[in-house]
Amino acid sequence: MAIDARVYQTTLALSHAVADAIVDAADKAITTRGRFTIALSGGSSPKPLYEMLATREYAEAINWNFTHVFWGDERCVPKDHHDSNYHMARESLLNRVKIPISNMYRIEGEREPAQAAERYEAVLRDFFGKRANTRQARFDVLLLGIGTDGHIASLFPGQSGVRETEKWVVAQHIEGASVTPDRVTLTPVALNAAANIFFVVTGEDKVPALRRIFNDPANPDELPAQAIQPTNGIVRWYLDAAAGKALHPPPT
Ligand code: 6PG
């Protein structure tokens, strides 16, 4: 299947491209359905994008009153912990735009992981279930990164979450995971319901995983990024020049 991958020479150009796509999706969603939903990814790659979205050029281009922000996953730490994905997004973007606090739906990382997952699933089912025709967690935009092992959100190789077929949110305990072993994550059920899935991947260290994701036979258990097969949506890869090397064969 053809991969929609776009390569940018600088982080600035990459951030502008993704920010433009988000503004476009927001404008269309709010115009047609009166609201825009976006699920943010964590880690370090999206931070320049979030800071870009907080600049006047973009902050004023999105109607934050009708924008609802979710998270694709969370580390099980307090919300003001430096490893919290919520904390990172608040600091780099959400504290700097006029979004109502009630439009931000954080995963309660401070709770017992299974309870946090159940509560977040209830939040999503309540939010999305109110529109009878969308019995799915259908985010207008879902942002994802990938780990060097091909993980997405907190769906790691060999873990149960990759194979989940009913729940929208699960807790995962990943021994050896960077930062904290306890995570809460959306499952492929929720991720694949999204309308626009934007991978934002930077750095040469992601090239081996990208090459496997793009070229190896489907094996989501080993490469969770390959679990991303939206039922009714698009997948687009935004890569910087270093990660973009994955689109070319390795040097002989
Ligand atoms: C997280 C993210 C995770 C991230 C990848 C890439 O909570 O850490 O959701 O899936 O996207 O690990 O992280 P970097 O962007 O920091 O390389």
Side-chain angles (χ1 to χ4, degrees):
M1 180 181 68
I3 291 167
D4 179 352
R6 300 149 190 229
V7 182
Y8 299 86
Q9 291 310 305
T10 64
T11 301
L12 190 67
L14 172 65
S15 301
H16 270 298
V18 185
D20 288 342
I22 290 170
V23 166
D24 183 53
D27 185 50
K28 287 189 173 80
I30 291 168
T31 302
T32 56
R33 289 189 309 283
R35 73 180 187 187
F36 171 56
T37 57
I38 182 168
L40 301 181
S41 63
S44 56
S45 300
K47 195 170 176 188
L49 165 63
Y50 298 165
E51 290 167 345
M52 173 78 69
L53 287 169
T55 62
R56 189 189 186 103
E57 175 187 357
Y58 289 101
E60 293 183 350
I62 294 175
N63 188 329
W64 298 98
N65 284 318
F66 298 109
T67 294
H68 300 267
V69 177
F70 302 82
W71 277 261
D73 74 319
E74 187 56 277
R75 292 85 178 269
C76 293
V77 294
K79 66 180 180 180
D80 55 358
H81 191 282
H82 63 81
D83 286 334
S84 160
N85 289 335
Y86 170 80
H87 179 70
M88 185 273 279
R90 286 298 306 259
E91 292 291 299
S92 55
L93 170 56
L94 300 171
N95 289 347
R96 301 157 63 184
V97 296
K98 296 184 175 64
I99 183 169
I101 188 78
S102 58
N103 286 20
M104 294 181 271
Y105 307 77
R106 77 178 180 94
I107 299 170
E108 297 166 302
E110 70 278 12
R111 288 185 179 271
E112 191 275 326
Q115 185 190 44
E118 286 168 18
R119 286 170 63 93
Y120 203 58
E121 175 137 356
V123 165
L124 294 180
R125 289 187 182 274
D126 177 61
F127 180 89
F128 287 102
K130 280 183 180 149
R131 308 271 176 116
N133 64 335
T134 56
R135 290 285 176 206
Q136 292 180 322
R138 186 163 173 75
F139 298 108
D140 295 303
V141 169
L142 167 70
L143 297 178
L144 286 174
I146 63 158
T148 54
D149 59 359
H151 80 256
I152 50 171
S154 284
L155 298 173
F156 284 76
Q159 297 292 319
S160 60
V162 182
R163 295 187 298 279
E164 177 59 44
T165 58
E166 299 293 329
K167 293 177 181 173
W168 294 2
V169 189
V170 292
Q172 297 283 268
H173 181 86
I174 303 104
E175 284 304 338
S178 63
V179 178
T180 171
D182 285 314
R183 309 285 190 95
V184 174
T185 183
L186 298 190
T187 68
V189 178
L191 300 174
N192 282 321
N196 297 280
I197 301 173
F198 297 156
F199 280 94
V200 179
V201 186
T202 58
E204 189 141 3
D205 62 334
K206 303 292 173 69
V207 168
L210 285 170
R211 285 205 171 108
R212 291 178 58 206
I213 291 161
F214 294 157
N215 301 309
D216 288 5
N219 184 358
D221 262 339
E222 286 308 309
L223 276 174
Q226 291 182 328
I228 296 302
Q229 303 287 341
T231 45
N232 178 20
I234 64 110
V235 179
R236 193 176 298 160
W237 295 81
Y238 290 91
L239 311 174
D240 71 352
K245 291 175 183 172
L247 297 174
H248 309 294
T252 51

